[in-house]
Amino acid sequence: MCPIDCRHVLTQIELYLDGELEVSLHAEVHDHLGTCSDCADRSEFQRRLKDMLRAKCGCDEVPPALLQRVHAILGQTPPTSR
């Protein structure tokens, strides 16, 4: 198998940071970040940005009114409440 390249790493970085990659791809991205300072810097920036947004947002759930507005803008029917 060929080593993963920077372009592929950067397309997967969000999923990597969110822990949503399959195990083998996660390991490849992790190994690449350990050897490529440019990708590691980009990953660190994205991680810090996510942390800052999470801290500033201050909410775990999307307010229902906002969710309805987004669905209306997208022309979608909102899912029913659970």
Side-chain angles (χ1 to χ4, degrees):
M1 180 189 305
C2 296
I4 193 168
D5 65 12
C6 294
R7 182 187 57 77
H8 192 206
V9 167
L10 294 177
T11 63
Q12 300 297 314
I13 203 69
E14 294 292 328
L15 294 172
Y16 171 80
L17 292 171
D18 292 339
E20 297 177 1
L21 287 179
E22 66 177 54
V23 175
S24 61
L25 185 53
H26 183 276
E28 285 184 68
V29 171
H30 181 80
D31 290 346
H32 181 87
L33 294 175
T35 61
C36 179
S37 62
D38 289 340
C39 288
D41 289 347
R42 183 70 167 272
S43 174
E44 180 61 14
F45 173 82
Q46 289 297 111
R47 186 195 61 75
R48 291 176 67 197
L49 179 61
K50 283 177 169 288
D51 289 346
M52 183 176 54
L53 290 172
R54 195 174 297 114
K56 298 293 182 184
C57 178
C59 61
D60 291 333
E61 294 184 32
V62 176
L66 176 60
L67 187 56
Q68 287 177 347
R69 286 178 54 205
V70 169
H71 282 288
I73 290 168
L74 296 175
Q76 298 176 346
T77 304
T80 58
S81 299
R82 295 181 211 190

